[in-house]
Amino acid sequence: MFTSNFFSNLPRNLSSFFRSLIVTNQRKVLAFTTPKKRRDRYSKSLGFTLLEVLVVMIMVGILSAIAAPSWLGFVNNQRINASQTKIFQAIKVAQSDAKIRSSSNANRTQITFTTGQTTNAYQIDNVRTGAGLQSLEPGVRISSVTSGGSITPAVAPTILASPYTIQFDSRGLVYDPGNQLVYPICINLSVDNSPRIRWIAIRTLLGAIVSGSDGSCINPI
């Protein structure tokens, strides 16, 4: 090591030069010889604790319990609406094709309804396209086909035997040569695990079709 006497015997400019050189080299030596602080790999969390996982699972369960009924109700509503539209359109097709084809008694267009089934719930015959067995949306069924009934006075509708067939003549009218049908003729739909109902009603002999939700399709008077 250089002593202070060594620098005092040197000229001022040389003394300053050597001092700065020594200080610089000392810093480099210290930087090289001093070990770097090793990173503690355990200083930060590498995952989740059991408590955190349980809290998240509980929160997900609560949110699912809140959202599930709403989602199920939405899905059921969409399915029963789609099935109602299918049957409504099927009746319209049978009517229009009867007029276009001027169907005779031997090949009248007709639609047959079977209750309690999702698959093969109804069948269209003697139409130009889309004939044959048809299915409703998953979980949707024709709960009943009824005839007549009124709200005032209160008269219960008659449940028609399944399968029930409606035919249309060459004018698109409901084929009823004996005038035995009592209107409205209602096709009632229900969906599994839901109070939702939909209906399609043929109101008159002329084949006027209406559809509705909830309530009843029977005549108000």
Side-chain angles (χ1 to χ4, degrees):
M1 291 293 293
F2 295 99
T3 63
S4 58
N5 292 330
F6 171 80
F7 292 110
S8 62
N9 294 328
L10 293 175
R12 180 176 297 178
N13 56 349
L14 288 176
S15 175
S16 299
F17 171 76
F18 280 114
R19 287 179 183 275
S20 62
L21 183 63
I22 291 172
V23 170
T24 301
N25 282 282
Q26 283 180 335
R27 288 175 180 173
K28 290 182 179 180
V29 171
L30 289 173
F32 179 77
T33 58
T34 302
K36 294 182 179 179
K37 185 178 180 181
R38 302 180 66 180
R39 182 180 179 184
D40 185 2
R41 64 192 181 112
Y42 297 103
S43 61
K44 293 184 178 180
S45 175
L46 299 180
F48 299 103
T49 65
L50 179 60
L51 180 60
E52 290 171 334
V53 173
L54 290 175
V55 170
V56 171
M57 291 178 64
I58 292 172
M59 292 177 64
V60 170
I62 293 173
L63 293 175
S64 299
I66 295 173
S70 298
W71 174 250
L72 183 59
F74 172 78
V75 171
N76 285 336
N77 189 60
Q78 294 297 106
R79 288 175 175 174
I80 198 169
N81 284 344
S83 297
Q84 182 186 40
T85 301
K86 281 184 177 181
I87 292 179
F88 186 92
Q89 294 299 329
I91 297 173
K92 297 294 288 185
V93 165
Q95 281 183 314
S96 63
D97 276 22
K99 290 185 286 186
I100 292 171
R101 295 173 60 252
S102 297
S103 57
S104 64
N105 290 344
N107 62 349
R108 284 187 295 269
T109 61
Q110 64 182 34
I111 180 168
T112 302
F113 303 100
T114 303
T115 60
Q117 295 184 187
T118 291
T119 303
N120 301 333
Y122 63 100
Q123 179 174 338
I124 311 174
D125 293 310
N126 299 326
V127 294
R128 292 171 296 169
T129 59
L133 290 167
Q134 310 290 327
S135 297
L136 302 177
E137 296 296 310
V140 182
R141 291 172 171 77
I142 299 174
S143 56
S144 64
V145 179
T146 61
S147 172
S150 64
I151 297 175
T152 306
V155 177
T158 300
I159 299 177
L160 302 175
S162 177
Y164 181 76
T165 300
I166 299 174
Q167 296 181 333
F168 298 94
D169 63 20
S170 59
R171 297 169 296 172
L173 307 182
V174 177
Y175 182 70
D176 182 22
N179 294 321
Q180 296 178 348
L181 294 178
V182 180
Y183 296 93
I185 299 173
C186 302
I187 299 93
N188 304 295
L189 303 178
S190 62
V191 60
D192 291 345
N193 304 315
S194 175
R196 299 177 186 275
I197 63 170
R198 296 289 186 274
W199 48 263
I200 306 94
I202 301 175
R203 287 290 190 190
T204 65
L205 173 67
L206 298 177
I209 308 172
V210 295
S211 60
S213 60
D214 303 322
S216 175
C217 80
I218 62 177
N219 288 323
I221 55 174

